[in-house]
Amino acid sequence: MYHPGRKCIDNKYNLKQKVNYLQKYKDRYPNLLDLSNKNIPSSYSTDYFSQPFYNRSASEGITEMYATLFSGLYNQEVYGIVKIGNDICVPAPNYLNGYASFTRFYYHLRNLVSKKSLFSSIFFSTEEAIKEFSENNSMEITEFWEKREFLEQEIQEINITRSKLKIEKISTQSPEDKLNFLLMEASYGYIESSPNKASEEAQLMLDKIFLKAYKKKIVQGYNPEDLLASLDISMQLSPMIYDEKTGEWEPTEIAVEYFDIYQKVLEEKTEHEMYHLKKDEIIQDNPSPKIEGGHK
């Protein structure tokens, strides 16, 4: 019923009339109806210079991620590739889709935040998912943000444009702001006719942030079956680099690290299963003696 990329003719979201009869949403999301009264200055600011869940490219990327997930395309043995730079590419099962170069980040986000916050963000364009992830991984976001090179100039150029259009400047103060900008810049690269260095840097930075988030999740406890499935796909989605000597695309350090983590989790799972298998065999071979007069 509601899509963040759709506007009325008068450039106002008509969300109010769409959810007006749903009292439970009013109670649960008191700020939701405020969006319906906001004027949108231009599609330029709405589509590509706003927060990810309020951004048409990101919204389409999320939709494509779920379409790929539920159609089983992530289970393919061979992926196509999509370039994100002159010598960097990312494997993608949906490689013919225009959003394929950055849908992996929403796959990672889905695995690393609660269902509640993700539902709120996808269906109501809130920032709950971004906020939750940023709070849980603030140090990791800040760590990699400090190593930026091309993004600083990109931020300045975007804010100059926004000032001319009398639009609020982009903030990169908090970890949440930083993550928002990286996701925006990763999806913004899709618009351009050729990849740019800032978008490429944002994508590679996000790959490192999400990898560290998976590592943290392992330390905090996890379901082996779910994590192995996620790591297997994450490994397949990792960037590759062109090797001029061999003339082939080779895995980057990110992909190798995912493989190492996958192997470690698989070994731990196997050891755990073997332990319980042996324990069950011992119990079966040595049944408890019956006690006379005891309960059956």
Side-chain angles (χ1 to χ4, degrees):
M1 291 183 66
Y2 169 61
H3 190 292
R6 306 287 185 256
K7 300 193 296 290
C8 294
I9 296 174
D10 61 355
N11 284 343
K12 288 186 179 180
Y13 285 96
N14 65 342
L15 176 61
K16 191 170 185 177
Q17 53 262 45
K18 288 185 177 181
V19 300
N20 193 45
Y21 66 95
L22 298 175
Q23 294 296 329
K24 62 180 180 180
Y25 290 129
K26 287 185 181 181
D27 297 335
R28 183 173 293 183
Y29 302 100
N31 297 325
L32 183 64
L33 298 182
D34 292 341
L35 297 175
S36 61
N37 296 319
K38 288 187 177 180
N39 285 309
I40 308 302
S42 67
S43 59
Y44 177 77
S45 63
T46 306
D47 292 349
Y48 307 122
F49 289 93
S50 53
Q51 295 177 342
F53 287 97
Y54 217 51
N55 174 317
R56 182 176 294 178
S57 290
S59 293
E60 295 293 349
I62 293 165
T63 301
E64 181 58 28
M65 182 275 289
Y66 274 108
T68 304
L69 180 69
F70 293 135
S71 62
L73 291 178
Y74 281 128
N75 299 323
Q76 293 180 128
E77 292 185 4
V78 180
Y79 291 179
I81 63 170
V82 180
K83 278 193 171 185
I84 61 171
N86 293 326
D87 56 355
I88 300 286
C89 78
V90 289
N94 56 336
Y95 66 98
L96 295 176
N97 185 277
Y99 307 102
S101 66
F102 61 89
T103 57
R104 68 188 185 281
F105 301 127
Y106 297 104
Y107 176 79
H108 297 325
L109 192 66
R110 172 183 176 271
N111 295 328
L112 295 165
V113 299
S114 65
K115 289 182 179 180
K116 182 179 179 181
S117 66
L118 192 63
F119 179 88
S120 175
S121 292
I122 290 174
F123 285 94
F124 301 116
S125 291
T126 71
E127 293 303 307
E128 292 302 313
I130 302 295
K131 183 178 180 181
E132 180 184 324
F133 183 87
S134 299
E135 288 177 350
N136 293 337
N137 301 279
S138 59
M139 292 181 64
E140 289 74 18
I141 294 170
T142 303
E143 174 190 346
F144 290 111
W145 179 263
E146 296 302 324
K147 301 174 184 178
R148 68 192 183 283
E149 182 179 354
F150 300 100
L151 288 170
E152 194 61 42
Q153 182 179 352
E154 184 78 357
I155 294 168
Q156 293 176 7
E157 291 177 0
I158 290 173
N159 280 335
I160 289 172
T161 303
R162 289 173 72 89
S163 295
K164 292 178 180 177
L165 295 171
K166 298 182 179 179
I167 302 171
E168 184 180 356
K169 291 184 179 180
I170 288 176
S171 172
T172 55
Q173 295 299 312
S174 68
E176 185 177 344
D177 291 338
K178 292 177 174 65
L179 183 65
N180 262 324
F181 180 78
L182 289 173
L183 287 169
M184 182 197 75
E185 188 61 35
S187 67
Y188 178 60
Y190 152 73
I191 306 162
E192 305 202 348
S193 57
S194 61
N196 62 60
K197 284 292 183 180
S199 182
E200 180 182 331
E201 185 177 63
Q203 290 214 28
L204 296 176
M205 197 179 292
L206 283 168
D207 279 311
K208 293 175 182 177
I209 290 170
F210 281 113
L211 173 63
K212 281 227 169 183
Y214 277 113
K215 289 181 178 180
K216 183 179 286 189
K217 182 177 181 178
I218 292 173
V219 174
Q220 294 171 345
Y222 58 90
N223 178 302
E225 295 291 341
D226 292 342
L227 184 60
L228 284 171
S230 298
L231 289 173
D232 186 28
I233 294 174
S234 298
M235 180 170 56
Q236 298 294 332
L237 295 174
S238 297
M240 301 181 74
I241 190 166
Y242 185 73
D243 189 329
E244 293 184 355
K245 293 181 180 178
T246 63
E248 296 180 354
W249 293 100
E250 302 290 344
T252 56
E253 291 182 9
I254 293 286
V256 173
E257 283 202 60
Y258 271 119
F259 177 77
D260 290 342
I261 298 171
Y262 179 89
Q263 290 297 113
K264 180 181 179 181
V265 174
L266 183 61
E267 288 172 7
E268 290 178 353
K269 177 177 178 290
T270 304
E271 288 176 6
H272 181 74
E273 289 174 346
M274 290 300 295
Y275 168 77
H276 283 281
L277 181 62
K278 289 180 181 178
K279 187 177 179 181
D280 290 341
E281 288 176 351
I282 292 171
I283 292 172
Q284 289 173 5
D285 293 340
N286 301 278
S288 301
K290 293 182 179 179
I291 301 173
E292 286 294 328
H295 294 290
K296 291 183 180 179

